[in-house]
Amino acid sequence: MTITAHELEIKLEQVEDPDIGEDIVSLGLVNDVTIDDETARISLAFNAPYAPSEMEIGNQIRDVIEDAGLEADLRAHVDEEHGFDDEVLPRVRNVIAVSSGKGGVGKTTVAANLAAGLEKRGAMVGLLDADIHGPNVPQILPAESDPGVTPNEEIVPPRSDGVRIISMGMMMENEDDPAILRGPMVNKFMMKFLEGVEWGRLDYLIVDLPPGTGDATLNLLQSMPVTGAVVVTTPQEMALDDTRKGIQMFNKHDTPVLGVVENMSSFICPSCGDQHGLFGTGGADTIVDKYDVPLLGRIPIHPDFGADGSQGALVKNDDSEIQSHLEDLVGEVADRVGEANRRTVSENVTHEPANKLPTETED
């Protein structure tokens, strides 16, 4: 006899969220279960495309369905009832802020490789260079064309190897021209980038913020539904001090900190293979322990990674020794985005376990 949808939902309670530690039904992650013509169609409240953890959960669900003698048809859907904003940037599923407490720690290089790495996995990705005075994204991901303009005067971002990008660097006549702008004009450009760009449909919008905790970051937090922030630091104590301030700023604005990236974490000698902590060791661990945020990855010092100013994201360069570190980082960030979104769902959707017996009501 064919299993019923209710019986299948009970079986799905054996699938546990690896990050939250509860079953997907109790968390409210199963929107709907229907069975039609030997096919189980399941709608899941997932919102982090190509995140390894969510793909693994999907594989476990397929195993349950296969054991029940059915074909699987899995789909993802979230909206306002799940706790997600559907008015601001309704076609952008996730906004990820990449920040640093101070300049020179490799934040833009991390942001560009994060965007390119998510696109490499199959996601639709945009990269907003919000550093008006230091727009360096085009050096790593050069645009394939000039920006366009819609009839409504919205900017249409060009692509760079699959990633849609917009940057103040595209607006300058010469790449070495400085952006000499006072505060009000900086804010005007920033708000245009935040509100006046036609991104189309995106799975992820990566925002490369300027260093520090100034107006640009506050504008972002007040204008966009930010899924979470990735904070980039180096092991030196001075960089760590500023990183702590950045984390506290995100905490005060109720923005999840997805984790910390420790760049320039060590130098691996190309001759002997020994590892040397030129800027100290374990610096990011103190932040992880104090603020209870994940360590997303450690990236060693390497000539490939931002040293020679070469164009292209190394996460797509199969010949680079640093590629595996970046691929791991991309997967970890996607997983933390997925976890943050699933926690949002669990906080906004109440779902009784499918195997709970109905309570008797009084006459």
Side-chain angles (χ1 to χ4, degrees), residues 198-331:
E198 176 49 66
W199 291 104
R201 189 163 68 91
L202 295 180
D203 296 316
Y204 300 94
L205 173 60
I206 312 300
V207 183
D208 178 28
L209 291 168
T213 56
D215 285 348
T217 301
L218 295 177
N219 286 338
L220 174 70
L221 297 179
Q222 293 169 358
S223 304
M224 286 187 177
V226 180
T227 306
V230 172
V231 183
V232 183
T233 187
T234 54
Q236 299 104 312
E237 187 56 40
M238 188 174 295
L240 295 170
D241 283 344
D242 291 335
T243 300
R244 295 183 185 98
K245 297 171 185 175
I247 290 177
Q248 290 191 64
M249 177 197 63
F250 287 118
N251 289 339
K252 289 179 180 179
H253 285 81
D254 296 323
T255 301
V257 176
L258 302 175
V260 176
V261 179
E262 187 180 78
N263 193 24
M264 308 180 198
S265 62
S266 63
F267 171 71
I268 301 175
C269 176
S271 300
C272 65
D274 288 347
Q275 188 167 328
H276 306 276
L278 300 183
F279 301 131
T281 58
D285 292 336
T286 62
I287 294 178
V288 169
D289 294 339
K290 181 174 181 178
Y291 293 102
D292 192 27
V293 296
L295 178 63
L296 297 172
R298 287 188 168 95
I299 303 174
I301 299 172
H302 194 280
D304 285 351
F305 199 58
D308 59 3
S310 59
Q311 295 179 344
L314 293 177
V315 71
K316 290 188 175 183
N317 185 346
D318 295 337
D319 295 327
S320 174
E321 297 177 358
I322 207 85
Q323 184 190 54
S324 62
H325 294 273
L326 297 171
E327 288 179 330
D328 290 345
L329 171 63
V330 172

Side-chain angles (χ1 to χ4, degrees), residues 1-118:
M1 181 179 295
T2 303
I3 190 173
T4 67
H6 180 73
E7 291 169 338
L8 180 57
E9 187 171 352
I10 292 174
K11 288 183 175 293
L12 290 176
E13 292 180 6
Q14 64 188 267
V15 178
E16 183 178 283
D17 186 306
D19 300 311
I20 301 178
E22 299 179 36
D23 74 87
I24 60 172
V25 176
S26 298
L27 288 171
L29 300 175
V30 179
N31 294 323
D32 185 55
V33 178
T34 60
I35 297 176
D36 181 36
D37 194 23
E38 303 300 317
T39 297
R41 293 183 173 85
I42 299 180
S43 172
L44 298 166
F46 286 1
N47 198 40
Y50 303 96
S53 289
E54 292 195 355
M55 295 175 71
E56 178 56 32
I57 294 173
N59 290 335
Q60 292 183 48
I61 293 172
R62 290 185 179 90
D63 290 340
V64 171
I65 295 172
E66 183 179 342
D67 290 343
L70 300 170
E71 295 290 328
D73 181 3
L74 306 184
R75 304 182 184 190
H77 171 75
V78 295
D79 55 24
E80 188 177 6
E81 71 171 300
H82 296 96
F84 296 95
D85 190 313
D86 60 357
E87 294 184 2
V88 181
L89 296 177
R91 302 178 68 193
V92 177
R93 302 179 72 168
N94 297 285
V95 177
I96 304 174
V98 180
S99 71
S100 65
K102 64 189 301 94
V105 299
K107 168 185 54 63
T108 296
T109 311
V110 169
N113 278 274
L114 175 58
L118 288 167

